[in-house]
Amino acid sequence: MKLAALYRDDAGDASLHLAVGDGFVAVDEILPGLTGLRDVGDLYARGPAAVAQLREAAGQLGDQAPGARVSQAEARYAPPVMNPGKIICVGLNYADHIAESKVERPSRIVLFAKFPSSLIAHGEAVIYPSITTELDYEGELAVVIGQRARNVPVESALDYVGGYTIINDVSARDLQSSEPQWIRGKALDTFAPLGPVVLDAAAAPPVAEMRLRTLVNGEVRQDASCAQMITGVPELIAYISAGITLEPGDVIATGTPSGVALGMTPPVYLEPGDKVSIEITEIGELVNTVAGPR
């Protein structure tokens, strides 16, 4: 099953929807017992029983569902996790991206963070900040944590995954390279487009079978198998949860392959008006345009 947080009206109130056929139906119209869910984080916080109940209902529906259906063309997306406690990002997790970045392969896993204020949804604009002139994209597979995870062993780490989605690790390269911490280079407002949907972990293919493509204005810039990750999803969850408790709805961005603007000769950074599309097998396509400064 695929899940999306959609705005129901102009009031800005989002609710969790299930993908049915070529549209979406609100979860509370399918299962009246699951009310008040804004996003997948709310669902996962209800516990495994609630997730299992929705999975069972989704499996029985097929392309039919009660309630009003929202077409994909009419859907107004919110980030599928609207207020995660943590957005943990993995740096330099593809060998070819390390090579194009002209840095040495790190001896340990590189982690950094983004903030909930960085999040925007599918279809919303990335704001080009006036404090940078080197705006870059990074298409990545994102893992959404489904259960509280602490000191999780690698062997059972995937049991704690709720689902998978797409994230664009937008980066200001000049800020990233000129400051000792990556906060301003990575975590500015609108620097974490997320979505459009979350693919339920129970329905997802193995991560190694997923493929990622990033297009800028229709030109393919990134095209790689997620099997090329240096550190896989189970190992990342185990490593992070050894010292940081992961809660339902937390997001892990797993790193980007080669093809970013930084690695081009000369670099071709994003400009206002550019359209960035990121596709991952079975999940869908995350699309955002770049807008000028506020």
Side-chain angles (χ1 to χ4, degrees):
M1 68 178 177
K2 294 181 180 179
L3 298 166
L6 304 181
Y7 293 111
R8 278 181 157 168
D9 50 43
D10 294 334
D13 296 326
S15 61
L16 188 63
H17 284 62
L18 173 71
V20 179
D22 59 355
F24 298 94
V25 176
V27 167
D28 58 11
E29 294 189 16
I30 299 169
L31 290 172
L34 289 179
T35 59
L37 301 179
R38 300 168 305 157
D39 60 8
V40 295
D42 285 351
L43 172 65
Y44 299 151
R46 298 280 180 97
V51 177
Q53 185 183 8
L54 184 55
R55 283 174 178 162
E56 181 179 2
Q60 294 172 351
L61 286 175
D63 289 339
Q64 305 298 320
R69 188 174 302 200
V70 179
S71 71
Q72 292 184 16
E74 296 173 337
R76 292 178 55 234
Y77 292 88
V81 188
M82 299 177 66
N83 192 30
K86 292 177 281 296
I87 305 171
I88 298 175
C89 305
V90 183
L92 303 173
N93 200 27
Y94 285 75
D96 54 1
H97 177 55
I98 295 173
E100 71 175 354
S101 300
K102 297 180 175 60
V103 297
E104 292 185 5
R105 179 167 171 165
S107 60
R108 304 186 67 177
I109 296 171
V110 175
L111 299 180
F112 59 94
K114 290 180 181 271
F115 307 129
S117 56
S118 304
L119 288 174
I120 59 171
H122 169 72
E124 292 187 301
V126 175
I127 304 301
Y128 198 125
S130 59
I131 56 176
T132 181
T133 59
E134 297 180 357
L135 190 68
D136 207 347
Y137 54 86
E138 291 191 7
E140 304 191 10
L141 175 70
V143 177
V144 185
I145 297 299
Q147 300 182 56
R148 191 172 190 266
R150 184 181 183 191
N151 290 323
V152 172
V154 171
E155 299 77 34
S156 60
L158 292 181
D159 295 342
Y160 295 83
V161 176
Y164 300 92
T165 189
I166 304 168
I167 191 167
N168 185 353
D169 175 17
V170 180
S171 305
R173 297 300 189 189
D174 42 1
L175 301 181
Q176 181 185 1
S177 63
S178 64
E179 300 179 0
Q181 295 289 336
W182 288 2
I183 292 176
R184 290 208 311 160
K186 290 286 192 174
L188 300 182
D189 293 351
T190 76
F191 270 30
L194 188 74
V197 300
V198 170
L199 174 64
D200 181 46
V207 168
E209 296 179 9
M210 297 184 187
R211 191 164 194 90
L212 181 151
R213 293 204 320 159
T214 301
L215 296 84
V216 178
N217 300 325
E219 176 190 359
V220 177
R221 297 282 184 86
Q222 296 182 287
D223 188 355
S225 168
C226 293
Q228 295 173 234
M229 287 183 198
I230 294 171
T231 305
V233 172
E235 291 79 13
L236 289 173
I237 293 173
Y239 180 82
I240 295 167
S241 70
I244 301 171
T245 300
L246 296 169
E247 302 287 354
D250 284 350
V251 175
I252 300 173
T254 58
T256 200
S258 65
V260 300
L262 173 69
M264 301 175 72
T265 306
V268 182
Y269 291 113
L270 296 174
E271 298 289 347
D274 285 348
K275 175 183 174 182
V276 182
S277 306
I278 305 169
E279 308 165 353
I280 295 184
T281 311
E282 302 296 335
I283 298 175
E285 182 182 24
L286 173 66
V287 180
N288 301 91
T289 54
V290 179
R294 290 190 181 97

